[in-house]
Amino acid sequence: MTSYSRFGVVGGGAWGTALAQLLAAEGAPVRLWAREDAVVTAINAEHRNPLFLPGASLSPSLVATGDLADLAACDALLVVVPVPFLRAVLADLPAGHAPLIFCSKGMEAQSFAFPIDIARDVCSDRPLAVLSGPTFAHEVAAGLPTAITLAAADTATAEALAQALARPHFRPYVSTDMIGAEIGGAVKNILAIACGIVDGAGLGLNARAALISRGFAEMTRFGLARGAQADTLAGLAGLGDLVLTCTSSNSRNFALGQGLGRGADAATLMADRRTVAEGAFSAPVIAAAARADGIEMPITDAVARLVAGDIRAGEAIQALLSRPLRPEGR
Ligand SMILES: NC(=O)c1ccc[n+]([C@@H]2O[C@H](COP(=O)([O-])OP(=O)(O)OC[C@H]3O[C@@H](n4cnc5c(N)ncnc54)[C@H](O)[C@@H]3O)[C@@H](O)[C@H]2O)c1
Ligand SMILES: O=P(O)(O)OC[C@H](O)CO
């Protein structure tokens, strides 16, 4: 079995930093590329990332760089760049054949491409994988128990990467369903915004449970139509992550929804934010992709319209509640 020991991480936000720390915690050398000079300096000088992962102490074996060329010698790269910026960063990667493991959760505007599709366009000669599941960055950085889906095109690659990433408290479950893992992560972000709206508007726990179930039905319809496997959507990368982010204001997507539910407008909530709520980018894209494919996604559609500022939370809730009654299986 191929083994991987020199990991590089592309992206110095909360999740890239937490994954880099996971791999470097026992002293293994890990290279992390960050876009912000302040992140590079803080990681190398103080072993911290106060911009994106405040409170975490990082291993001295984690070395940051602002130059992607410094990742050329790595034998596997975790790519943790928000999807709207992914294509540009991938185009600047140094040439090589190291596998790319995609850890971002979203769909690109216009192209309707998931990270794996973007990689096939930009750097088709590398093995590709997806790492996705219920994983708050600060918990992983703190060494708390976590399980996650690791999907690759073939079982041998998925198993080799899972073996290299596994730690006593970090358990990757192997899959060959990359599209299922990508769709689970992208759609749950949107549904977390919707659950935050329900919470912010004080609509109660019955409403939240209804939204999680009907949201999962949307994720499943969209996923199956695009070739995802039902087991993946019902697993860590789908339902598992949906449960995590629909029940905690530690989720940036849920917290954004809470603000919308309390009546704030999206533009104000999104202005000047440094961290991402990927669901806000993905909602209009996935809503449009579903419409084009004739797939009903009313919750996703409502979040897309709210984020665009076309409607307020009260109107979105009223529209969802007044939809015609229907059999549960649809
Ligand atoms: N934070 C988590 O707990 C977590 C867990 C799993 C997956 N994710 C996913 O990981 C991805 C990254 O999220 P994060 O939490 O690490 O980010 P973050 O919110 O902590 O930080 C934002 C990131 O976006 C980058 N960025 C901003 N503008 C950019 C540009 N023009 N070009 C390139 N990069 C730019 C910043 O450098 C920074 O790395 C997202 O898709 C997110 O859904 C996050
Ligand atoms: O903070 P969020 O909403 O981006 O969620 C973070 C992760 O995706 C949780 O698995």
Side-chain angles (χ1 to χ4, degrees):
M1 185 189 284
T2 315
S3 66
Y4 302 98
S5 56
R6 285 169 299 146
F7 278 102
V9 176
V10 182
W15 188 218
T17 305
L19 285 166
Q21 170 58 18
L22 171 85
L23 298 170
E26 300 298 323
V30 175
R31 277 284 164 117
L32 178 146
W33 171 82
R35 181 172 163 266
E36 300 78 7
D37 292 341
V39 171
V40 175
T41 303
I43 290 179
N44 291 341
E46 302 163 31
H47 311 299
R48 297 187 315 117
N49 182 349
L51 252 71
F52 294 114
L53 197 61
S57 300
L58 305 175
S59 167
S61 67
L62 165 53
V63 173
T65 174
D67 185 352
L68 282 167
D70 289 338
L71 304 187
C74 294
D75 56 23
L77 296 176
L78 293 116
V79 184
V80 205
V81 175
V83 174
F85 314 120
L86 186 55
R87 191 177 287 270
V89 175
L90 283 185
D92 287 343
L93 279 186
H97 298 284
L100 301 179
I101 306 165
F102 288 92
C103 311
S104 321
K105 299 171 176 172
M107 191 187 215
E108 189 182 49
Q110 268 108 40
S111 68
F112 295 149
F114 286 105
I116 290 291
D117 307 314
I118 300 173
R120 286 186 182 125
D121 281 355
V122 179
C123 35
S124 57
D125 49 348
R126 293 171 181 265
L128 305 175
V130 177
L131 187 69
S132 188
T135 55
F136 282 142
H138 63 281
E139 293 193 12
V140 171
L144 294 174
T146 299
I148 192 163
T149 299
L150 185 295
D154 61 273
T155 305
T157 303
E159 282 178 349
L161 290 171
Q163 200 65 46
L165 292 170
R167 297 293 182 273
H169 56 276
F170 188 83
R171 290 178 61 78
Y173 283 75
V174 166
S175 165
T176 52
D177 183 11
M178 291 197 285
I179 185 65
E182 291 198 302
I183 286 177
V187 176
K188 76 82 196 172
N189 276 340
I190 301 165
L191 300 172
I193 297 177
C195 281
I197 293 169
V198 163
D199 188 77
L203 299 183
L205 299 178
N206 293 350
R208 180 165 73 191
L211 234 158
I212 291 175
S213 311
R214 295 310 302 163
F216 182 61
E218 281 189 20
M219 179 195 288
T220 304
R221 273 198 299 274
F222 185 71
L224 295 182
R226 288 179 167 251
Q229 293 166 18
D231 283 357
T232 313
L233 300 170
L236 294 161
L239 187 58
D241 209 356
L242 185 60
V243 169
L244 178 74
T245 39
C246 285
T247 56
S248 170
S249 49
N250 283 336
S251 157
R252 287 91 44 100
N253 288 290
F254 185 92
L256 172 66
Q258 281 179 312
L260 293 169
R262 290 180 190 126
D265 72 282
T268 309
L269 291 170
M270 305 277 288
D272 299 330
R273 60 178 298 151
R274 182 183 290 137
T275 60
V276 288
E278 278 268 30
F281 293 130
S282 299
V285 184
I286 291 187
R291 245 190 328 274
D293 292 350
I295 298 164
E296 260 196 299
M297 297 187 81
I299 302 170
T300 301
D301 210 49
V303 172
R305 295 176 66 202
L306 258 161
V307 167
D310 295 343
I311 50 171
R312 298 296 272 234
E315 291 168 78
I317 292 159
Q318 201 44 50
L320 287 173
L321 287 174
S322 57
R323 281 166 52 79
L325 297 177
R326 64 194 52 234
E328 190 173 23
R330 276 179 46 208

